[in-house]
Amino acid sequence: FASGEGDAFFAVFDGHGDAGHDCARFAKEKLHAYLAGGLKKQRAAANAAKLREMTKNGQEKPKNAFHPSSWPYLSVEQYETCCRNAHLQCNTAMHKESKVKDMM
């Protein structure tokens, strides 16, 4: 899902109101990409920081240092921030999408 061993994304998209199905469909098609992008960006940044620290300390980088499978995992707070940001990004995109009537 987001380049992490065991990463998974589960969701129920249940729209409410006259156009709720449009909103639910939009979120179903877009939300996972926003979330995966945010997680990858945060994990890549954490990996870069780890590698800079290793270089600073004179340590040798592992051979697979740049492969996503070797990137550090995020804290619970970092995962929550990524989830919150993904939902906000999806909501903003939904408001801008003319084909989705998201007003109640």
Side-chain angles (χ1 to χ4, degrees), residues 13-31 90-91 93-95 97-103:
F13 298 98
D14 181 24
H16 299 277
D18 292 339
H21 60 281
D22 293 331
C23 295
R25 185 178 309 113
F26 185 90
K28 175 185 166 191
E29 293 171 357
K30 307 284 185 181
L31 180 60
C90 190
N91 189 55
M94 190 181 306
H95 286 299
E97 176 60 56
S98 62
K99 295 177 185 174
V100 178
K101 295 177 178 74
D102 62 343
M103 298 297 174

Side-chain angles (χ1 to χ4, degrees), residues 42-54:
Q42 286 295 315
R43 290 186 67 216
N47 188 57
K50 180 180 91 173
L51 295 176
R52 278 192 302 275
E53 189 66 27
M54 290 176 77

Side-chain angles (χ1 to χ4, degrees), residues 63-85:
K63 291 182 192 248
N64 66 344
F66 298 102
H67 192 275
S69 66
S70 68
W71 294 352
Y73 284 95
L74 304 178
S75 68
V76 170
E77 292 81 16
Q78 289 170 311
Y79 273 107
E80 288 174 351
T81 297
C82 286
C83 287
R84 187 177 310 107
N85 289 341

Side-chain angles (χ1 to χ4, degrees), residues 52-60:
R52 278 192 302 275
E53 189 66 27
M54 290 176 77
T55 300
K56 181 178 161 184
N57 294 333
Q59 296 172 300
E60 188 174 328

